Amino acid sequence: MPDNTAPSVPAARSLGQPQMAFVRSWAEGLDLVAAWNRYLYVDGAGDGRRARGELQRLLDELRSLARAHGRPQVAALLRRDPQAMPERGARVPTLDEFAAQQPHDYYSESELIELYQEQHGVADSRSTARRRQRLRERLVEAVQWLEQVGARFPQPEDPLQAWLDERVARRLAVAGMRRLADLMFWVRTKGYHWHRGIPRVGPEGAARIVRWLREHEATLGALPRPALAPLSAIDTTALTPAPRVGIVPLERFRPPAERDGSRGTNRAAAERCKVAAANDYEAVHAWLRLRVAGTHTWRTYRKEAERFLLWAVMGRRKALSSLDGDDCVAYRDFLAQPGPEWTGPRNAQRWSEQWRPFEGALSVRSQALAITVVRSLCEWLVRRHYLDSNPWDDVPARPDAPSMPQLRALSQKQWDLVQAWLAEQHEQAPSPALHRLQFILDFAYMTGMRLAELTAARLGWLRHEPLDDGPDGDEMAWSIMVLGKRRKWREVPVPDPAMQALQTYLQRRGLDPDPLAHDPETPLIAKLGTEAPLGAARIYEILVGAFERCAVHIARHDARAAERIRLASTHWLRHTYGSHSAARGVPQDVLQANLGHESLATTSIYVRAEKGRRQRAMQQAFARR
């Protein structure tokens, strides 16, 4: 795992093959900036000032190395710069320059050379050009000798500052990377988009780092294929290792025959079973297929079912269909403190060998959610006559479990803090990515659409139609048709500020601000520089990353609000829409229709949230004077 302890002093730059190649390019008279960009990592295009500064640092180290090996004459030689030699006498034109002064195609090549020698003679061995060339030859020989005695290859335990640009090393240190081993672990674990979330390390800089790591695979080790290209460009079937017994993702897990549940002690009679599953693994997949794959709900259910199944087989050494009430109590307590073999680095990709079901101990609320999901799984298996009884039926909640989960929504004050932070970002460094973030936040907040719905939305889903009950019969309003859960369409009103945000966003994309003037299949949210739709995972990362940066910004003056904002995600915007709408008097049936809830009881959570505000208002009104 990355070491988060800061080094006491900066590490000296190491003399590796890239550094020696850079110095050798200088000795040969090649362009210094081009050599910098080719051999040494730099955050973006190099410049002459930084290249010359790095050259002087390396020359100082090489001179010290020469003196340490008893070669002071080499150290003195490295102080001479061929370009600094003054010109002596009149400048003699080169042969090409002389040829350009003669009539075109008048002389043959041999005649041209003979004429050149008659007028300018053979090059003087004492000329500046010849002396400069001899100095370069001596410098190259010196660098080659130093390369043999002093150059080394990067090692995993070397500090980042010894090999990478010091400014880049400082940015990586923010994420906990101090050594090359930490960097390799990070890239192996997180894959192609490993740089996301690291301030001021973009895709181009990340690609240059990966290219440098690949050049030194002999000493640092090889990188996995997902670190070299997006998963969309990789055959994930060939990438995924063969299924095996172990603490691995659900798609790679194969329980041993004696614990696969085909003969579970809690199995119902086979002739009554209404699910096509021969064992627990297949039964869990049958339950997951009831949800739309890839959605937030599906991922949550998969995560909790995966943890429960793995723990039953690998931790409890029993089949899931053999668990009883005592086992469920043990799992409830296990969630509070999973062992080290069950925890892995944050956001490790599922293909990575570092993946584990947990990133650490779960909070009390996360424990309650996990138990709710697996209890629901077992209840469904009972209804389908796969299980004879639900082992969770008589398991009490933990004493410290919350009686009612807190609504995952931002208060009005917290939402205002997010908007103020975003306005400040616009003033400091406006960018297309920032304009897109502003639109996603505004539109999601004012429509309550789910992440999957925002991802799938097209401009052709928008409607601009007259209201039937308008006072004059000609009142127009915007709405959007949304394809929600279970492939059901619903119509969601779009307030005027949300439409203004959309029109501004379209202009930023270089499009006509009128949403109805486009191809109906134009995505509502697009990738930068193209009209391809932005994926759900990327939208989630954009919003979570923005909330994290906002929380860091406001933590200095409001730590409590910062903690709430840090927890926020895409689904929080949907709950924020519901709670703010209820607080502003939107009727419950209107909210139910807009949010696409099948049951009014689901929508009532926002009314309960509003109830708290009303209760506090009355307490204040009638407080004892």
Side-chain angles (χ1 to χ4, degrees):
M1 292 293 290
D3 180 10
N4 291 323
T5 59
S8 57
V9 294
R13 298 285 284 174
S14 290
L15 296 174
Q17 297 295 332
Q19 284 75 20
M20 299 305 294
F22 174 64
V23 176
R24 190 167 58 250
S25 297
W26 161 78
E28 293 172 348
L30 302 179
D31 182 79
L32 201 60
V33 174
W36 165 273
N37 286 330
R38 179 176 180 181
Y39 295 114
L40 299 181
Y41 171 76
V42 61
D43 183 23
D47 57 71
R49 180 182 59 83
R50 295 183 66 188
R52 287 189 297 272
E54 182 67 8
L55 174 65
Q56 290 306 315
R57 283 193 293 271
L58 292 173
L59 288 176
D60 287 343
E61 292 187 41
L62 290 173
R63 285 192 286 266
S64 299
L65 182 64
R67 287 191 293 268
H69 283 77
R71 300 285 293 274
Q73 68 276 19
V74 173
L77 180 64
L78 292 177
R79 292 190 178 278
R80 301 180 61 184
D81 185 357
Q83 289 300 118
M85 283 187 173
E87 294 287 346
R88 294 182 178 179
R91 180 181 179 276
V92 177
T94 65
L95 181 62
D96 289 338
E97 292 173 341
F98 179 76
Q101 299 170 4
Q102 309 307 317
H104 182 63
D105 291 338
Y106 186 80
Y107 296 107
S108 66
E109 183 177 356
S110 58
E111 292 173 336
L112 188 65
I113 293 175
E114 184 179 356
L115 183 62
Y116 177 81
Q117 292 178 345
E118 288 178 0
Q119 296 189 17
H120 299 288
V122 179
D124 186 354
S125 62
R126 294 172 296 175
S127 67
T128 302
R130 290 298 300 274
R131 290 188 300 110
R132 182 180 291 129
Q133 180 60 32
R134 286 197 300 270
L135 176 58
R136 291 197 185 282
E137 292 172 354
R138 294 173 61 196
L139 284 171
V140 169
E141 291 177 358
V143 172
Q144 289 173 342
W145 174 77
L146 288 165
E147 191 170 2
Q148 293 175 359
V149 300
R152 59 184 292 265
F153 292 99
Q155 301 297 321
E157 295 305 314
D158 290 344
L160 291 180
Q161 292 160 301
W163 296 98
L164 301 184
D165 179 75
E166 59 185 18
R167 292 190 290 186
V168 176
R170 286 197 298 268
R171 294 167 192 168
L172 297 178
V174 173
M177 288 173 274
R178 308 288 180 181
R179 303 165 300 151
L180 290 176
D182 301 334
L183 175 60
M184 290 291 291
F185 178 85
W186 193 283
V187 177
R188 286 192 182 112
T189 302
K190 299 184 180 298
Y192 183 72
H193 298 294
W194 63 271
H195 61 281
R196 288 179 178 171
I198 302 177
R200 300 180 65 191
V201 176
E204 182 180 348
R208 293 175 72 94
I209 291 179
V210 169
R211 191 158 56 244
W212 184 85
L213 293 174
R214 294 190 68 190
E215 291 173 355
H216 298 91
E217 287 183 346
T219 55
L220 297 178
L223 292 173
R225 281 185 293 163
L228 309 178
L231 284 181
S232 58
I234 297 176
D235 181 2
T236 54
T237 303
L239 172 68
T240 304
R244 62 183 177 89
V245 178
I247 304 176
V248 295
L250 190 61
E251 60 270 18
R252 293 173 51 191
F253 180 64
R254 288 298 179 271
E258 65 274 14
R259 299 197 296 271
D260 68 356
S262 55
R263 296 181 298 275
T265 57
N266 191 27
R267 286 288 299 269
E271 61 271 13
R272 299 179 59 238
C273 185
K274 296 181 180 179
V275 58
N279 54 47
D280 299 342
Y281 181 84
E282 295 177 2
V284 168
H285 276 283
W287 178 70
L288 285 175
R289 283 195 295 270
L290 299 176
R291 281 84 195 168
V292 179
T295 62
H296 176 76
T297 300
W298 178 84
R299 286 193 296 269
T300 299
Y301 280 32
R302 180 187 63 175
K303 175 177 64 178
E304 301 304 342
E306 180 176 62
R307 289 170 169 175
F308 190 45
L309 179 63
L310 289 174
W311 175 85
V313 176
M314 304 304 301
R316 201 65 170 175
R317 315 296 291 180
K318 297 174 71 173
L320 186 148
S321 56
S322 295
L323 298 178
D324 55 27
D326 290 339
D327 298 320
C328 293
V329 170
Y331 183 68
R332 181 198 66 185
D333 297 337
F334 164 80
L335 292 174
Q337 194 61 51
E341 70 274 19
W342 293 89
T343 57
R346 181 174 175 81
N347 294 330
Q349 299 298 308
R350 296 179 67 82
W351 49 261
S352 171
E353 290 300 325
Q354 281 75 38
W355 179 92
R356 292 295 182 271
F358 298 88
E359 295 174 355
L362 300 184
S363 67
V364 174
R365 297 191 183 280
S366 295
Q367 295 172 43
L369 173 63
I371 293 173
T372 299
V373 172
V374 296
R375 189 192 299 270
S376 173
L377 163 64
C378 293
E379 181 61 34
W380 181 82
L381 293 175
V382 170
R383 292 200 308 270
R384 304 307 296 168
H385 302 299
Y386 180 85
L387 292 182
D388 190 51
S389 63
N390 189 342
W392 287 95
D393 278 347
D394 299 323
V395 177
R398 289 176 58 89
D400 53 355
S403 57
M404 179 183 295
Q406 183 179 3
L407 187 64
R408 294 181 297 169
L410 298 175
S411 67
Q412 186 63 57
K413 173 189 173 182
Q414 292 158 1
W415 177 249
D416 291 341
L417 287 172
V418 172
Q419 290 293 324
W421 168 78
L422 197 55
E424 185 175 333
Q425 298 301 302
H426 277 295
E427 292 180 1
Q428 293 178 352
S431 67
L434 202 59
H435 293 306
R436 182 179 62 186
L437 170 62
Q438 178 77 69
F439 168 70
I440 296 174
L441 283 170
D442 290 344
F443 203 83
Y445 168 71
M446 287 185 273
T447 61
M449 294 168 63
R450 300 180 178 93
L451 173 60
E453 295 167 352
L454 288 167
T455 305
R458 300 293 185 264
L459 294 184
W461 294 9
L462 289 160
R463 301 285 185 270
H464 194 215
E465 300 170 333
L467 298 178
D468 296 337
D469 56 351
D472 301 322
D474 57 355
E475 184 180 359
M476 303 290 289
W478 286 95
S479 63
I480 185 170
M481 301 301 299
V482 176
L483 184 60
K485 285 187 174 181
R486 297 175 179 83
R487 308 296 296 176
K488 291 184 178 179
W489 289 92
R490 72 179 188 278
E491 186 174 12
V492 177
V494 181
D496 290 342
M499 285 306 304
Q500 293 168 4
L502 173 59
Q503 290 165 349
T504 301
Y505 174 53
L506 291 176
Q507 285 182 313
R508 298 289 185 184
R509 284 161 59 177
L511 302 177
D512 190 317
D514 182 6
L516 304 181
H518 301 283
D519 184 331
E521 290 302 311
T522 302
L524 183 72
I525 304 173
K527 296 180 180 179
L528 297 178
T530 178
E531 288 308 311
L534 199 63
R538 183 63 183 129
I539 294 177
Y540 179 86
E541 289 177 354
I542 289 172
L543 290 178
V544 169
F547 287 133
E548 176 70 25
R549 297 194 303 275
C550 176
V552 171
H553 177 77
I554 69 173
R556 293 169 292 180
H557 55 82
D558 195 335
R560 186 174 181 181
E563 185 58 32
R564 288 289 292 173
I565 294 172
R566 182 178 284 107
L567 297 173
S569 65
T570 50
H571 211 65
W572 280 53
L573 289 177
R574 180 172 165 84
H575 288 316
T576 302
Y577 165 84
S579 59
H580 289 194
S581 299
R584 293 165 185 165
V586 176
Q588 194 170 350
D589 60 324
V590 173
L591 260 184
Q592 179 189 3
N594 291 352
L595 291 167
H597 291 158
E598 292 188 356
S599 170
L600 195 61
T602 306
T603 313
S604 66
I605 62 172
Y606 305 116
V607 178
R608 286 199 294 270
E610 171 62 8
K611 177 182 177 180
R613 192 177 71 89
R614 299 203 314 268
Q615 184 73 19
R616 288 188 293 273
M618 297 310 295
Q619 289 285 5
Q620 183 179 0
F622 292 95
R624 292 183 181 274
R625 303 291 182 184

